[in-house]
Amino acid sequence: MLYIGVDLGGTGIKAGVVSETGEILSKASVPTGRERPYQAIVADIALLCERAVQEAGVTMAQIKAIGVGVPGICDPRTGVIPLCTNLGWHDVPFVEELHKHTALPVYVDNDATVAGFAESIAGVSAGSASSVFLTLGTGVGGGIVIGGRPYSGVHGVGSEIGHMIIRMDGEPCTCGNYGCFERYASATAIIREAVRAVQDCPQSMILKRCGGDPARINAKIVIDCAKAGDETACRVFAAYVKALAHGIINIINVLDPEVIALGGGVSMAGEFLLDAVREAVKPLIFFKSMPYARIELARLGADAGIIGAALLGRQ
C-alpha cells in the first residue's frame, strides 16, 4: 500500500508518495504563497498530491491515505489547526477543507512530530517503541513517539518541547514566556550568545570569519570556530551544549525514551555536537546504575517531514 505525505512550510509545500516502509517513490513541490486564504493553499496541496502520484507512475486508487505535517498546533482528532503562526492560521478546518478535493482519509499533525515519527520508522530510532526527536533550528521542535505512534497529548500540544521552561525569568521567548528551552538550545541562541561574546572579545575568530560584522554571525560559523579551538567560540558552544543537556535530561526523567534523536541545522555539526552532548548528559543522569536513552543524530534530514506525514495513515 502507498501513502502521500505533505510537508507544509511557510515558504514551500513538499509532497511525496511513500511506501509502507518509508521509501519515497516521488517528490513534488510548490511555493506556499502564505499571503493567500487557507482555502487556496489547501487546493494547491490537493493538486500537488495528484502531481506526486503521477510522477510516481501510480494511480490514486493505489493510495491509502494522505498525511500532512503542519508548522503549528494541530488537533489530530478533529483535523482542525487551532494555530499556525507561520501561515497566520487560526482555527482552520484543515481536514474538512482538504476533503473538498479528495475522498481519501486525511491525517494531520505537527511537522516536528511527524519528523520524529519518520525517524522511528525509517531512521535512527527505527525498531524502538519510544523515542523523542529534537529539531535544533531557528527554534526547537519536538516529536514524541510512544508505543510506536506519535504522541501529541490530549489537546494536540504535547510535543512542544521547545517551550518547556528550563530557566525561571530567563530569556524572553516569542511565545510570551521567559526561559523556554528553545531560547537556549536553538541556532538562534548560539547566534545571540556569540554576538554578545564578541563585544567583549573582538579578537575572536568568530568576527574574522564574518568579516568583522556581528550581523553576519551564524551558528555554523560559531561551531566551526569552536572546532578550531577559538576560546570565545568554545565558551559559547559549551554553554549551548549545557543548555541542550539540561533539556535532554528533563526529557529522560519525564519520558524515559529508548532513543533521543537530534536533527535540524545545528545537528549538522555531527559527531562534534553529539560527543559533547553525550558527555554533558552523563553526569546529570538521576539513576546512575540504570541504562538511559541513546542520544543519536537523526538520519532522514529534509525527507523526514514527507515520510512521517505519509505514514500517519499506516494504521
Side-chain angles (χ1 to χ4, degrees):
M1 192 61 73
L2 301 176
Y3 307 84
I4 296 174
V6 179
D7 186 357
L8 174 59
T11 57
I13 309 169
K14 297 182 292 183
V17 174
V18 179
S19 74
E20 192 87 22
T21 58
E23 178 190 1
I24 296 179
L25 306 184
S26 70
K27 286 192 285 189
S29 62
V30 292
T32 305
R34 60 182 176 180
E35 69 283 352
R36 300 178 299 155
Y38 74 82
Q39 293 91 339
I41 295 174
V42 172
D44 277 356
I45 290 173
L47 290 172
L48 189 64
C49 289
E50 292 176 6
R51 208 172 99 204
V53 166
Q54 290 172 357
E55 292 185 11
V58 298
T59 67
M60 277 293 181
Q62 294 170 267
I63 304 297
K64 183 178 180 181
I66 297 172
V68 184
V70 177
I73 298 171
C74 305
D75 187 337
R77 302 164 305 166
T78 65
V80 172
I81 298 173
L83 179 65
C84 181
T85 53
N86 283 4
L87 299 175
W89 287 1
H90 297 272
D91 297 319
V92 168
F94 183 84
V95 170
E96 179 184 319
E97 187 65 28
L98 191 50
H99 271 150
K100 294 178 181 178
H101 305 275
T102 179
L104 287 169
V106 176
Y107 299 87
V108 62
D109 214 323
N110 173 267
D111 55 357
T113 295
V114 301
F117 186 40
E119 288 289 342
S120 76
I121 293 173
V124 71
S125 50
S128 66
S130 61
S131 59
V132 176
F133 170 76
L134 295 177
T135 175
L136 310 173
T138 303
V140 173
I144 301 171
V145 176
I146 298 176
R149 296 298 301 167
Y151 177 79
S152 301
V154 175
H155 305 101
V157 297
S159 61
E160 290 292 339
I161 293 172
H163 293 287
M164 65 179 176
I165 295 172
I166 65 167
R167 189 170 300 177
M168 288 178 60
D169 304 318
E171 293 284 341
C173 183
T174 54
C175 73
N177 284 328
Y178 293 82
C180 290
F181 182 40
E182 74 170 37
R183 301 310 295 158
Y184 300 93
S186 61
T188 305
I190 295 175
I191 295 166
R192 181 192 68 233
E193 294 305 315
V195 169
R196 291 174 178 173
V198 298
Q199 292 176 356
D200 297 325
C201 302
Q203 75 282 4
S204 169
M205 185 188 296
I206 297 172
L207 272 183
K208 294 176 184 175
R209 291 279 181 94
C210 63
D213 181 4
R216 294 174 58 192
I217 294 174
N218 59 43
K220 184 178 186 304
I221 287 174
V222 177
I223 293 172
D224 285 347
C225 290
K227 288 180 180 178
D230 177 72
E231 185 178 340
T232 303
C234 285
R235 283 201 306 272
V236 172
F237 181 70
Y240 172 81
V241 168
K242 182 178 180 180
L244 182 53
H246 277 78
I248 287 173
I249 206 68
N250 287 338
I251 293 168
I252 290 173
N253 288 344
V254 173
L255 294 175
D256 186 26
E258 292 178 55
V259 182
I260 295 175
L262 307 181
V266 178
S267 74
M268 299 302 290
E271 298 294 326
F272 182 71
L273 173 69
L274 188 62
D275 291 345
V277 171
R278 286 172 172 169
E279 284 302 308
V281 166
K282 196 180 301 182
L284 302 175
I285 293 296
F286 182 30
F287 297 104
K288 305 295 184 184
S289 61
M290 297 288 290
Y292 59 92
R294 289 188 291 113
I295 303 169
E296 306 285 356
L297 296 172
R299 292 179 185 164
L300 298 179
D303 287 339
I306 290 175
I307 296 169
L311 297 182
L312 289 174
R314 197 183 74 166
Q315 309 216 33

